[in-house]
Amino acid sequence: MFNKYTASSIRTLLALLLSAAAFGFAACSDGSDDPGGTDGAGGVTVEHKIGLYLQTGSDLASRVTPPGDYDRGAGYENYIDIAGGDLLVALYGTDDRWIATVENPVVTPVSETLSSKTYFLEFKVSGDIRDALGSSFKVLMLANWHHRYPDLAAAGSLQALFDIVSTADYWIDYSGGLPSWDLSASDKIAMFGVSQYDNVSLRPDMAAYLGKLHLLRALAKIEVWDNSDSADEIESVALTRHITKAVPMPKGVTHQNHYVKNDYLKDYVLYPSLPAGSGPYPYPNESSEPLPLVKNPADGHYTVYVPEFPNSKRETDATRARLKIRYKEYNARDYFIDFKYYNDPPEGASAGDYFDLLRNYWYQFEVRKLAEYIKVEVQVVPYSHVPLKPGFGIGISKDLVPVYDDNGNLICYFNSENGNYYDTDATTVIKNPFLIEGNPKDPATGWDIVRDDNGTFRYFRDPATGKCYDADKNEIPDPDNN
């Protein structure tokens, strides 16, 4: 059962833990007087107690990354279903081979809430397991997998474990809906963590406290909000493509160094972990049904948590994950924002490169709507790490505004300063493509396009003022009422 601590008891607990940790660390040095864990006949004579801290976010004081604002997650982003027993702890050798699954691990939140940023894990191992561990071993932690855990002994190794959990039997199914800003215990996010501990001496008369184990969430967080200077208010935000089922374990992560690198440009994982059998687009469980982001009435931010999405190698806008934003404007239309580097890309990337949506990252978009275009700034924030500067992110040019069709495909660019349209190369001047049959409004001005019975362009009419304009947008008398 979950124990809800008072502030006083938490302070007492922390003091005891720190004292025990100091005592335990002293017991971690190897010594020749180690009494061992079995009797001469191989029977178990002792148990060894092990403790460590689980962190859903890092401690700022313990990191050596550049200075800045860290985010350790909030509320149920950090929740572990302790009361429901939805967790599994196991021990592996440094060769990644399974040694034992821990029985009856005790996980305690170091907080007054159900959603602590730090948890304390304690468990015991028998003498024969202690002998198999040696002085260096790995601890694996799985949580919130909806009680769908594989047989770790049968899997054998950590790599084989991923091969198993990437299959349909272990996907976390979000086809019925993805969580939003109002996370609750029922929205528990699957977590994974592994860490190697060296030079450990397990003694029957001392508890060994190993340090920290960082947990990765299986979902990414996307958040969009309107700048206070926007000319119009956001009406809706949607993600154009997403994957409906999450793989709970990241591929290729068998050591803490694979995802805790003390470098906010490289933490945590660098590529998405996809369902088994994934090949060229489309991927298993991929949906092109627009996924709405839900507005938080408290701050006006639109939020959704999503599984990882392989976006970087898509060849067309129609196949990429993009943000579609609609404003409350008189000539309502959709604006599309790409997950790519427009300006000042990080080291190793180039301007124009698309990036994947990765687990445990928080993609923050601040949007400012001007008269005929939008400007966007984005921060990509690994939980508990320094937000990247706005220059890293997305900014739509003040001069050239991308114009898309209803499917999100780029048609041309419009220059709001000189009124010209440009081809998709952003250089060649072209005629207004919306003077052809089948387009009722001009996207740059929102004016109605009036045509003759053959569909040929006649003139523009501004629905707000009733004024009329020719193809060059010069005001003219109303051709039908003069």
Side-chain angles (χ1 to χ4, degrees):
M1 294 293 293
F2 168 74
N3 295 316
K4 186 174 182 180
Y5 292 98
T6 64
S8 176
S9 62
I10 289 173
R11 287 192 294 269
T12 302
L13 172 65
L14 287 173
L16 291 172
L17 293 180
L18 290 174
S19 299
F23 180 64
F25 282 128
C28 287
S29 60
D30 199 6
S32 58
D33 59 342
D34 189 337
T38 62
D39 60 22
V44 177
T45 60
V46 295
E47 285 188 324
H48 304 272
K49 188 174 183 180
I50 298 175
L52 54 88
Y53 294 95
L54 304 172
Q55 294 212 254
T56 58
S58 298
D59 181 358
L60 173 61
S62 71
R63 304 303 292 268
V64 294
T65 50
D69 295 328
Y70 285 63
D71 188 273
R72 297 177 61 192
Y76 283 98
E77 292 173 350
N78 303 310
Y79 174 74
I80 294 177
D81 185 7
I82 301 170
D86 194 358
L87 53 91
L88 192 66
V89 179
L91 302 169
Y92 286 77
T94 57
D95 60 356
D96 295 337
R97 302 295 300 178
W98 175 87
I99 294 175
T101 298
V102 173
E103 295 182 1
N104 303 316
V106 177
V107 178
T108 306
V110 185
S111 167
E112 293 185 61
T113 69
L114 283 166
S115 49
S116 177
K117 299 178 178 68
T118 301
Y119 295 81
F120 187 64
L121 167 65
E122 287 184 297
F123 56 90
K124 295 178 180 179
V125 297
S126 59
D128 53 347
I129 293 176
R130 176 257 188 218
D131 292 341
L133 289 176
S135 62
S136 296
F137 55 88
K138 295 181 179 181
V139 178
L140 173 75
M141 175 74 181
L142 313 177
N144 299 342
W145 283 32
H146 299 250
H147 298 279
R148 298 167 68 195
Y149 297 102
D151 185 331
L152 302 184
S157 69
L158 287 173
Q159 181 55 53
L161 178 61
F162 175 82
D163 294 338
I164 292 171
V165 303
S166 65
T167 62
D169 289 340
Y170 298 97
W171 293 333
I172 308 297
D173 188 359
Y174 291 104
S175 55
L178 281 153
S180 186
W181 62 269
D182 54 347
L183 275 172
S184 67
S186 62
D187 295 316
K188 56 187 178 183
I189 299 174
M191 296 188 184
F192 166 92
V194 65
S195 188
Q196 179 171 320
Y197 304 96
D198 299 314
N199 301 317
V200 179
S201 179
L202 299 180
R203 301 172 59 94
D205 55 342
M206 292 185 180
Y209 292 94
L210 305 180
K212 299 176 183 178
L213 190 157
H214 297 263
L215 297 177
L216 286 173
R217 303 168 186 84
L219 299 182
K221 180 180 180 180
I222 301 174
E223 185 174 10
V224 180
W225 67 92
D226 219 11
N227 183 284
S228 59
D229 294 331
S230 282
D232 296 289
E233 182 183 352
I234 291 178
E235 181 177 278
S236 64
V237 181
L239 187 66
T240 60
R241 302 189 79 89
H242 67 286
I243 288 177
T244 62
K245 298 182 180 180
V247 176
M249 174 182 175
K251 183 178 182 179
V253 176
T254 60
H255 192 284
Q256 70 269 24
N257 291 348
H258 294 156
Y259 66 104
V260 180
K261 307 180 184 70
N262 295 318
D263 183 338
Y264 68 79
L265 293 179
K266 297 177 181 178
D267 279 0
Y268 284 108
V269 294
L270 301 180
Y271 47 84
S273 299
L274 302 175
S278 297
Y281 157 85
Y283 287 81
N285 308 304
E286 183 171 331
S287 174
S288 60
E289 185 70 24
L291 176 66
L293 277 67
V294 180
K295 184 178 181 178
N296 183 341
D299 59 15
H301 291 204
Y302 292 78
T303 305
V304 71
Y305 296 83
V306 295
E308 295 178 298
F309 190 89
N311 213 41
S312 60
K313 296 182 180 179
R314 302 293 175 106
E315 296 182 353
T316 64
D317 289 340
T319 63
R320 295 188 184 101
R322 313 171 79 202
L323 287 170
K324 181 171 69 173
I325 300 178
R326 174 160 289 200
Y327 281 87
K328 297 177 180 179
E329 52 186 341
Y330 73 91
N331 58 331
R333 58 187 184 271
D334 293 324
Y335 297 84
F336 290 87
I337 299 172
D338 290 302
F339 291 88
K340 73 176 182 181
Y341 307 108
Y342 282 85
N343 303 303
D344 301 324
E347 182 181 354
S350 301
D353 287 353
Y354 294 87
F355 52 82
D356 299 320
L357 302 184
L358 301 175
R359 69 182 61 213
N360 214 72
Y361 276 74
W362 181 5
Y363 299 91
Q364 299 175 304
F365 295 84
E366 180 175 2
V367 185
R368 185 160 70 104
K369 169 71 167 59
L370 302 179
E372 292 300 339
Y373 61 93
I374 59 175
K375 183 177 181 181
V376 183
E377 292 182 348
V378 61
Q379 292 179 329
V380 178
V381 186
Y383 280 104
S384 80
H385 257 242
V386 182
L388 301 180
K389 296 179 181 179
F392 158 92
I394 294 175
I396 296 180
S397 168
K398 175 182 177 181
D399 299 323
L400 291 182
V401 181
V403 180
Y404 303 96
D405 65 17
D406 291 340
N407 295 318
N409 298 311
L410 179 67
I411 299 173
C412 62
Y413 291 93
F414 172 71
N415 189 311
S416 58
E417 300 294 329
N418 60 27
N420 289 338
Y421 290 85
Y422 296 84
D423 205 350
T424 53
D425 62 6
T427 302
T428 305
V429 178
I430 60 174
K431 292 182 179 180
N432 182 345
F434 292 88
L435 299 183
I436 63 174
E437 183 178 2
N439 297 287
K441 288 182 180 291
D442 175 72
T445 62
W447 295 342
D448 295 326
I449 298 175
V450 181
R451 307 179 189 279
D452 62 22
D453 293 339
N454 296 318
T456 303
F457 172 83
R458 292 181 61 214
Y459 61 91
F460 293 111
R461 182 189 297 277
D462 185 346
T465 64
K467 293 181 179 180
C468 300
Y469 301 84
D470 63 18
D472 295 324
K473 299 185 179 177
N474 300 309
E475 185 176 353
I476 59 174
D478 187 336
D480 295 320
N481 296 287
N482 56 32

